Amino acid sequence: MKRVLDVTLVVLTAVVWVPLLLLAMAVVWAALGRPVFFVQERAGRDGRPFRLVKLRTMREGDGPDAERLTRFGRWLRSTSLDELPELWHVLRGEMSLVGPRPLPVRYLPRYTSEEARRHEVRPGITGWAQVNGRNTLTWEQKFAHDVWYVDHMSFWLDVKILWRTVWQVLARRGISAEGEVTMGELLRPPSGRNGESKREWQPPSGRNGEGKREWQPPSGRNGEGKREWRPPSGRNGEGKREWRPPSGRNGECKRE
């Protein structure tokens, strides 16, 4: 049912969004030049990577986003028109109209095991997090909304999210956090199996808080461990016996 809703809506609204996309592409080309599209590898369902295509809103370069974002690009973002090329991903089955937003592949090892459940469904153009704060939310709040959607996904919930998205775009709410032009980088160390950050192994502590050292035998003159003394072996592998004088007939020692 979800896939049917996606394809039906995209096809029926093509008469509206295709001309808008072509017009936006022409304006981007005139304002920013080539390339017209921004392409980045994102994580899809089950974490499978795909190449996401959006309209470019920033100048080329390595400077901060605030400096590279143009006035026209800011307008494109506020109206969400830069997301129009993603409708092609919906037709291809790589995305859905509603679902958790696709994030860069480099974020995959940074999720906790619970947050990683957001990849159990196709990523969406809009989602539960987008209609409940969008980019004003923290990463943890966004992921909590994404997992909630995965657990409560239904046809009517998707209809509700799409309807609220229309009003969200018209009101231009939640475009960015205060003092930010884009959502900041997810800065986390890689997560372990239980979702906690991996810690570097440390040896068990001794009485004084120092790591316990492995026991080593005392060194000999040449730096080798001292060996336990053993009597010299005889011919048959037995230890040599201490010499005793020959005994007499009555068990006494012979006199000289």
Side-chain angles (χ1 to χ4, degrees):
M1 181 66 72
K2 183 177 178 64
R3 180 65 182 151
V4 173
L5 175 66
D6 288 343
V7 175
T8 301
L9 287 180
V10 171
V11 172
L12 291 179
T13 58
V15 294
V16 177
W17 65 265
V18 169
L20 277 177
L21 175 60
L22 294 176
L23 178 60
M25 288 172 57
V27 177
V28 171
W29 193 357
L32 300 176
R34 301 178 63 180
V36 173
F37 297 111
F38 168 77
V39 182
Q40 187 181 53
E41 196 172 58
R42 299 286 179 99
R45 187 174 185 176
D46 299 324
R48 291 192 297 267
F50 71 99
R51 292 175 64 82
L52 179 76
V53 179
K54 298 173 63 175
L55 288 176
R56 188 161 69 95
T57 59
M58 296 186 183
R59 300 185 184 92
E60 295 282 294
D62 299 326
D65 291 346
E67 295 180 2
R68 297 190 298 117
L69 184 63
T70 64
R71 181 178 300 178
F72 173 68
R74 194 185 300 272
W75 180 81
L76 277 180
R77 285 173 173 265
S78 66
T79 58
S80 297
L81 290 177
D82 62 318
E83 311 281 356
L84 284 177
E86 295 176 26
L87 293 171
W88 173 246
H89 294 296
V90 176
L91 292 176
R92 287 170 54 91
E94 296 169 327
M95 291 181 62
S96 176
L97 289 176
V98 180
R101 285 293 297 165
L103 297 176
V105 175
R106 65 178 180 274
Y107 288 1
L108 286 175
R110 305 178 191 178
Y111 301 131
T112 66
S113 57
E114 180 68 11
E115 292 169 350
R117 295 186 54 226
R118 66 192 305 277
H119 292 290
E120 293 178 4
V121 298
R122 288 187 182 93
I125 296 177
T126 185
W128 188 240
Q130 280 61 52
V131 298
N132 283 282
R134 201 174 176 181
N135 289 332
T136 61
L137 302 175
T138 64
W139 281 114
E140 288 73 20
Q141 290 172 329
K142 282 188 174 184
F143 297 150
H145 283 307
D146 291 342
V147 174
W148 185 91
Y149 172 79
V150 171
D151 292 334
H152 298 83
M153 184 175 57
S154 67
F155 173 81
W156 291 111
L157 180 59
D158 282 2
V159 172
K160 178 181 178 180
I161 292 174
L162 289 172
W163 178 252
R164 289 181 60 177
T165 298
V166 174
W167 291 107
Q168 192 89 358
V169 171
L170 292 177
R172 300 187 183 184
R173 296 176 181 170
I175 299 170
S176 60
E178 186 177 355
E180 301 284 345
V181 295
T182 59
M183 190 67 186
E185 179 83 4
L186 176 61
L187 300 175
R188 284 180 178 176
S191 297
R193 294 184 179 180
N194 298 324
E196 299 179 355
S197 299
K198 293 182 178 179
R199 299 180 180 178
E200 185 178 358
W201 180 85
Q202 296 180 357
S205 300
R207 295 184 180 179
N208 298 324
E210 298 179 356
K212 292 182 177 179
R213 298 181 181 178
E214 185 180 0
W215 180 86
Q216 296 180 358
S219 301
R221 296 183 179 179
N222 298 325
E224 299 179 355
K226 292 183 179 179
R227 299 180 181 177
E228 185 181 358
W229 181 86
R230 293 181 181 179
S233 302
R235 294 183 180 179
N236 297 326
E238 298 180 355
K240 291 184 179 181
R241 299 179 180 178
E242 186 180 359
W243 180 86
R244 294 181 180 179
S247 301
R249 293 183 180 179
N250 298 328
E252 297 179 356
C253 294
K254 289 184 180 182
R255 296 182 178 176
E256 202 177 305

